[in-house]
Amino acid sequence: MTATTTELLALLAAVHEALAIPYPATIGDTEEYSRILGERVMHTSVTLDAVLNRGDDPGWSADFLRARLTELPPTGYKAAGEPATGTGQ
């Protein structure tokens, strides 16, 4: 495998995208955040294993990881820094 710098940077960017999701705003939001992050970590680990140990193409692997990430958007919990949505504000 001879990977180009562009392909490796694309893979690193996809890994960053997978792991850098917004932190939960409250303890109550932790469960959904942890579920989403855990699945994203699993897909990232599988992708990196394929590139490092099986010789898969890093560019293709980055695209594949990003496709998996669209199935696991960081939604369904209140993220830290989101504006409050109550009345009277």
Side-chain angles (χ1 to χ4, degrees):
M1 170 189 76
T2 303
T4 66
T5 301
T6 302
E7 290 172 323
L8 293 173
L9 287 174
L11 181 58
L12 285 173
V15 168
H16 182 262
E17 181 182 332
L19 304 178
I21 65 174
Y23 297 108
T26 67
I27 298 278
D29 297 306
T30 302
E31 186 175 338
E32 183 64 7
Y33 165 83
S34 295
R35 182 192 70 76
I36 293 167
L37 184 60
E39 289 190 41
R40 285 169 156 248
V41 166
M42 184 264 311
H43 286 297
T44 301
S45 179
V46 168
T47 300
L48 290 175
D49 181 65
V51 171
L52 296 172
N53 297 319
R54 290 196 335 233
D56 285 7
D57 179 78
W60 183 90
S61 296
D63 292 340
F64 180 81
L65 178 57
R66 282 201 170 98
R68 300 295 67 78
L69 298 180
T70 62
E71 300 167 359
L72 296 164
T75 58
Y77 66 95
K78 182 164 176 27
E82 285 183 0
T85 58
T87 58
Q89 292 190 5

